[in-house]
Structure formats: C-alpha cells, structure tokens
Amino acid sequence: MIKEIQIRVNLIEERKENILLYKASKKLGLDKKEISAVKVLRKSIDARKKEIIFNYKVAVYIQETIPEESEYHFDYKEVSKAKEIHIIGFGPAGMYAALRCIELGYKPIVLERGKNVQDRRRDLKAINQEHIVNENSNYCFGEGGAGTYSDGKLYTRSLKRGDVRRIFENLVFHGATEQILIDAHPHIGTNKLPKIIQDIRETILKFGGEIHFETKVEEFIIKKNKIQAIQIQNGSEITVNSVILATGHSARDVYELLHKNKIALKAKSFAMGVRVEHPQEIIDQIQYHCPGERDELLPAAAYSLVHQANNRGVYSFCMCPGGFIVPAATANGEIVVNGMSPSRRNNKFANSGIVVELDIDKDFKKYEEFGALKGLEFQKDLEKIAFYAGGRTQTAPAQRLVDFVDGKISKDLNETSYQPGLKSAPLHSLLPKIIGSRLRKGFAAFGTKMHGYYTNEANIVGVESRTSSPVNIPRKENLEHTQIEGLFPCGEGGGYAGGIVSAAMDGERCAEAAISLMK
Ligand SMILES: Cc1cc2nc3c(=O)[nH]c(=O)nc-3n(C[C@H](O)[C@H](O)[C@H](O)COP(=O)(O)OP(=O)(O)OC[C@H]3O[C@@H](n4cnc5c(N)ncnc54)[C@H](O)[C@@H]3O)c2cc1C
C-alpha cells in the first residue's frame, strides 16, 4: 500500500537521520519495520514565522517496494529519412519542438543564428571584458537560447501540471538532477545548463535530426499566403513545408522582417524597469529572521514583491538569490540587464528585476507611428538612454536605492556582481515618468513589507527591458499564423511564453500542431 502524507520538520529535526521515516511511522501509527520506503514528492520551505519549517509531501510505501522506473518514457524514433519540419531558433521552444518531432516520427531541421554552447562562451567573455556585443552570439542568442546562461529557474504559472512534469522529466532524462521534480521552486543553475543542452543536442542528432548553428534566417518566401522557403544569411534558399518560428523576444530583426512583409503582428503589453542588487546577507536576514548568517541547511533566500502604484503593478521579476547581474544586450549601442545564478546560489549578491506593468493602448502615444512595433521602439529608446548614461560601453547606469527614490545622484555605488561595471547616473530623471515614478513608489512600499529591503546598501541598475515580448505574432486555434499557412509562431517571441518551461511546453504544442496539419 502507498499512502501520501504531509510532514512538517523544523531546522533541528531536519538535521536528524531518518527523520521522515520516524515522522511517517508516528503519523500513520505504524511500526518503522512496516515501512519499506519514504519517497519525497515535494519539498518547500515556510519561513513566514520565526520557526522555519520544511514542508514535505511524501509517499509512504507500506510493505511495498518503490518502483525504480519513471512513468515518463521518451520514445525517440529514427527520423533521418522522415518528413521534415523546419524550426528557426534553438532556445527552449525550438529544442522541445525538435524533441517532440522526433518522438512523433518527424525530422526536425533546426536553424540557429548563434553558436554552440562552448563557442558561445568566448562571446560572453567579450561582452563582459571588452564590452563588445556579437549580434548573433550573446546571452540571448546561441544554443539553448536565452535559457542557457540564465538562472534556470523552472517556475511557471502554467496550470497544466502534466505538461510541466513532462518538461521536468525530460530535463532529468538529459542529465538534470531529480531534485527539480521535488522542489517547490526548482532551479538548475547556469553552470549546469550547458551540459544538459548539449545532451539534448546529442539526442536530436543521434536520432537523425539536423541542427545548423551560425545560420541566420533573413527572409521568408511566401506565395499565396503559404510559406514556401526561407532564406539564410548567405543568400541560399531552403524549401520548407512547415516552419516553427521560435526566435525569442530579442530577435527584433525578425519582427521587423515580418512587419516589412506585411505579415500580421500585434503590439502587446509588457513590463520594464531596473534590476536591484542587495548583499545576499541582507535578504537572508529579512527572510529568515536571523541576525547573522543563514543556517547552512537553508538556501540563499528569495523574495517576491508586488505593489500597485497609480493603477499599475510594480513587481519583482526573475529574482536571482546568490546570483549575478549580466549584460543581456543583443546589439552594440544598448544596455539590457538580466540575472542568473549558479546551481549552489552561493554568490554574495541577491538581484531581481523590479518592473512596471505597461499598457500598450495607453502608454505609447508618441510611438503610434510604429504600429505593431511601438512597444519595441520604446524598448529600444530606453536601452539607448541606458547606454549613453553608462558611458557608451556595457558599463551600466546605476544609483543607490534610497538615492533613486529621493531623487539624489549617488556619490559612489555599492560593490556589484555586474562584470562590465557600473557608473553612477541619475536614473530617477532618466527613466520615463510612467516607469520611474512608479518604481520609486514601489521601492518605498517594498521597504514596509520587508524591513531592511529599502536601503542604500542596494544598487539599482538600468535597464531591465526584456521581461517579455512587446509584440505578439497572432495564431489561429490550430497554432498556425492567422494569415500565413505553414508558419507556426512559437514560444516567447510569439508572445506565447514567459520563461523556460512555458517556452518548452509551447514548443511541444507547436510541433504537434504542425504535424497534425501535415498528415
Ligand atoms: C540572463 C537570463 C536569465 C533568465 N533566467 C530565467 C530563469 O531563471 N527562468 C526562466 O524561466 N526564464 C529565464 N529567462 C528567460 C528564458 O530564458 C526565456 O523565457 C526562454 O529562453 C524563451 O525561450 P524561447 O525558445 O521562446 O526563445 P529564446 O530562448 O530567446 O531562443 C530563441 C533562439 O532563436 C535564435 N534566433 C533568433 N533569431 C533568429 C534567426 N533570424 N535565425 C535563426 N535563429 C534565430 C536565437 O539565437 C535564440 O537562440 C532568462 C533570460 C535571460 C536572458
């Protein structure tokens, strides 16, 4: 017999061997000998009160053995001679679309503008140390997409638990730790992601799929509203049947190409702001109610904050405990910041995007001439402002947190994890009022929710501009573009995902949709 129960364990108990077995036997009124195993299904930490509790959901196996095999199987087929599906972009959406094609017996041909994970590293070094952005190989472009040198948080708001579990199981199949199946807020870490992505690439190649790196799609050849071919950067044309367009939200040239070809696009609401960086110790002390260092059993503390300011949400986004702020620009002449963390989350800083919800119908009046690209043009302008304020390199404009709210230029800045460096700048006057004034209200309010958060020991760094796509590529119920037959807008770039897991799930769905129309 298997019984699922909840067990609460405090920090002292957590140190004891076999504590779960002991508590399970007590709770079920059983002798320990009757229990063959206790399997953890879910683990979360409740730090709301002074006594920190680990909440476990466990399956208790009573005179029964634990099955060794996962209920998920990935039955990949040999597809080298099968019907082809072209996939543009090898981020989470493109990768999972390719894997799903192979499971269903179709051959994925992936075209990716960036380099493989190993070669990509050199370009990341060049951004950080020489301030040179390779426009095809950076923190957003290359094997694994924006998901590779990311934080690897696998949190999603998607309610389709079965689909979410499939994505997690597939990551485990490709080398991720099984802990991601258990943790309430699973996280892989930027040091572990490249190897997992490389293993996914190897599966695709082993079963007969193709992946072409450094292959940028530059034109779509459309006749009678049906996609016929795509053109790559050397001018050669590739005839296609179905195309999954999974180019992410930073491929502005792709949106511009679609716009130029009068392919339907829609402007979409999104959020923008800054990244805030505190010493991790401050966040640990607030969240774990401890005066000094956090207990060694506790992970670097995270937070999630939200406040309404002038009818708009101001909220924390992509919080990275024990992490780094990274330069996520995809072109020279712009500054974009984002965050990542290693698997152990052991860096001494905690950073998070703090962003303001923008309304596409109300906030971009000056940009109306750009039609569906109005949000994108606004985003570009803000990134340019940050570039000039930072001193025209990848050095980012920054301000101490309280100085920002008080409208004072910071004489100096705190130490930072951001490798290209920071320059003191008046972000309070540089950011458009719709963002800046709300951020100032938001930060002050966050200080009342988390005592100690609102401090000049924190820096804010500009700008966190790429939270989600400012453009939607519309699709029909069958996931095909509303106007172009054979084109499947997919993932974050289409406006259908907001993170690694949701992009991966959308990739699978688009592969299924493309295949169902090919039959
Ligand atoms: C630093 C950082 C940290 C992040 N941390 C997290 C996190 O912890 N958790 C989370 O859920 N999300 C995180 N994200 C967001 C997450 O990475 C994205 O939501 C996700 O990668 C989107 O997947 P996608 O496949 O839709 O697009 P992308 O990952 O953007 O992939 C698109 C791919 O298409 C390629 N491409 C673009 N144009 C062309 C073209 N013309 N021809 C050929 N190829 C092209 C690009 O090179 C890229 O590889 C982070 C992002 C960044 C930048």
Side-chain angles (χ1 to χ4, degrees):
M1 197 194 340
I2 304 165
K3 280 202 171 166
E4 286 188 12
I5 57 168
Q6 306 281 346
I7 293 178
R8 284 163 60 82
V9 175
N10 66 26
L11 263 173
I12 298 166
E13 292 169 331
E14 178 76 3
R15 290 189 155 74
K16 293 186 182 149
E17 223 178 297
N18 292 330
I19 186 70
L20 295 180
L21 174 63
Y22 171 78
K23 289 219 166 196
S25 71
K26 279 249 167 208
K27 193 156 188 170
L28 295 173
L30 294 169
D31 190 293
K32 278 191 267 180
K33 285 196 197 108
E34 290 178 79
I35 298 177
S36 22
V38 179
K39 184 180 174 191
V40 179
L41 302 175
R42 199 134 190 94
K43 181 180 180 185
S44 62
I45 297 174
D46 185 351
R48 285 172 299 175
K49 301 215 174 100
K50 200 147 178 74
E51 185 183 37
I52 293 168
I53 298 292
F54 295 87
N55 281 318
Y56 286 94
K57 181 180 178 191
V58 298
V60 184
Y61 287 73
I62 304 159
Q63 290 170 349
E64 189 153 344
T65 44
I66 283 197
E68 273 177 21
E69 280 218 349
S70 159
E71 59 187 280
Y72 284 83
H73 295 280
F74 299 97
D75 180 18
Y76 296 120
K77 310 207 166 53
E78 159 53 46
V79 293
S80 54
K81 297 201 170 53
K83 281 189 195 163
E84 296 170 352
I85 293 188
H86 288 80
I87 299 169
I88 312 177
F90 198 52
M95 286 191 297
Y96 274 79
L99 289 172
R100 192 73 185 128
C101 285
I102 297 175
E103 268 186 286
L104 297 174
Y106 285 74
K107 175 177 179 173
I109 300 183
V110 180
L111 310 167
E112 164 57 54
R113 74 197 288 167
K115 301 178 186 173
N116 66 45
V117 278
Q118 292 84 358
D119 295 344
R120 211 175 149 184
R121 276 185 214 275
R122 255 173 259 140
D123 298 309
L124 301 188
K125 196 167 164 205
I127 302 177
N128 280 300
Q129 296 182 359
E130 294 156 43
H131 301 247
I132 298 165
V133 182
N134 177 331
E135 301 194 354
N136 293 310
S137 175
N138 45 58
Y139 277 94
C140 295
F141 295 162
E143 185 173 22
T148 309
Y149 295 100
S150 79
D151 203 33
K153 278 184 291 296
L154 301 177
Y155 179 69
T156 173
R157 281 192 219 117
S158 173
L159 298 174
K160 296 185 179 158
R161 298 308 318 169
D163 294 357
V164 174
R165 178 83 187 192
R166 233 184 90 80
I167 302 299
F168 285 17
E169 290 276 359
N170 197 292
L171 286 167
V172 171
F173 182 79
H174 286 103
T177 156
E178 289 197 358
Q179 195 62 31
I180 65 169
L181 304 173
I182 293 168
D183 285 344
H185 294 284
H187 164 249
I188 294 184
T190 190
N191 50 325
K192 301 269 165 87
L193 283 158
K195 174 73 176 73
I196 296 167
I197 285 159
Q198 197 179 314
D199 283 2
I200 291 178
R201 179 217 306 164
E202 278 160 18
T203 296
I204 293 168
L205 297 178
K206 180 173 152 199
F207 288 94
E210 289 179 22
I211 305 170
H212 302 273
F213 292 113
E214 298 182 64
T215 304
K216 181 178 169 202
V217 171
E218 292 195 334
E219 191 56 90
F220 301 105
I221 291 100
I222 291 162
K223 287 188 190 135
K224 295 187 183 153
N225 281 342
K226 158 111 185 76
I227 188 151
Q228 307 279 340
I230 45 187
Q231 192 183 74
I232 58 173
Q233 82 270 22
N234 64 9
S236 55
E237 279 185 19
I238 302 167
T239 306
V240 295
N241 187 335
S242 286
V243 175
I244 295 177
L245 184 65
T247 44
H249 66 20
S250 286
R252 290 177 170 162
D253 42 11
V254 171
Y255 295 128
E256 283 159 359
L257 182 62
L258 296 169
H259 199 55
K260 182 197 85 179
N261 285 327
K262 300 199 169 36
I263 295 173
L265 296 175
K266 281 189 202 154
K268 168 181 156 299
S269 292
F270 60 107
M272 276 172 105
V274 293
R275 200 151 266 266
V276 62
E277 183 168 67
H278 289 80
Q280 179 64 49
E281 205 176 24
I282 292 185
I283 303 301
D284 289 342
Q285 287 170 358
I286 303 171
Q287 300 296 71
Y288 294 141
H289 331 282
C290 57
E293 276 183 27
R294 68 176 185 267
D295 190 286
E296 60 185 6
L297 292 184
L298 296 170
Y303 61 83
S304 170
L305 289 164
V306 60
H307 176 72
Q308 283 290 316
N310 302 351
N311 298 323
R312 296 291 161 73
V314 180
Y315 58 93
S316 55
F317 172 81
C318 186
M319 201 263 142
C320 300
F324 300 84
I325 301 183
V326 296
T330 45
N332 290 293
E334 64 190 30
I335 293 273
V336 180
V337 289
N338 209 314
M340 68 177 195
S341 66
S343 54
R344 290 177 58 214
R345 286 188 158 156
N346 53 356
N347 191 31
K348 60 182 181 181
F349 297 104
N351 72 70
S352 177
I354 301 291
V355 295
V356 177
E357 222 175 21
L358 297 174
D359 184 332
I360 203 69
D361 297 321
K362 294 185 184 150
D363 296 335
F364 303 97
K365 294 288 176 225
K366 280 197 217 146
Y367 291 81
E368 289 300 337
E369 63 177 294
F370 297 104
L373 302 188
K374 60 183 173 181
L376 190 133
E377 291 298 326
F378 176 85
Q379 214 185 28
K380 275 189 194 170
D381 280 353
L382 206 60
E383 293 169 6
K384 250 185 247 159
I385 291 172
F387 178 74
Y388 282 100
R392 301 185 191 198
T393 61
Q394 283 301 306
T395 300
Q399 200 165 5
R400 286 181 186 252
L401 175 57
V402 178
D403 290 348
F404 170 70
V405 176
D406 289 347
K408 274 192 347 209
I409 293 184
S410 300
K411 282 197 213 80
D412 54 9
L413 296 165
N414 299 296
E415 204 192 336
T416 181
S417 65
Y418 182 74
Q419 263 200 61
L422 301 179
K423 181 171 179 242
S424 173
L427 283 167
H428 60 274
S429 60
L430 287 171
L431 291 171
K433 211 171 153 222
I434 44 167
I435 297 176
S437 70
R438 290 185 172 96
L439 280 178
R440 290 161 81 179
K441 287 187 178 147
F443 278 123
F446 295 161
T448 62
K449 293 179 192 193
M450 274 176 71
H451 296 288
Y453 183 91
Y454 182 58
T455 166
N456 250 347
E457 283 183 64
N459 288 328
I460 62 155
V461 183
V463 285
E464 176 89 20
S465 48
R466 312 248 181 116
T467 53
S468 72
S469 175
V471 181
N472 166 251
I473 313 176
R475 60 191 190 191
K476 296 184 282 193
E477 222 169 281
N478 66 5
L479 309 194
E480 207 173 30
H481 185 268
T482 47
Q483 179 192 348
I484 309 298
E485 216 181 297
L487 181 68
F488 295 83
C490 179
E492 194 160 38
Y496 301 101
I500 295 169
V501 177
S502 55
M505 290 198 298
D506 199 53
E508 289 205 328
R509 271 198 300 271
C510 285
E512 288 161 15
I515 288 166
S516 73
L517 291 179
M518 278 172 87
K519 280 179 182 161

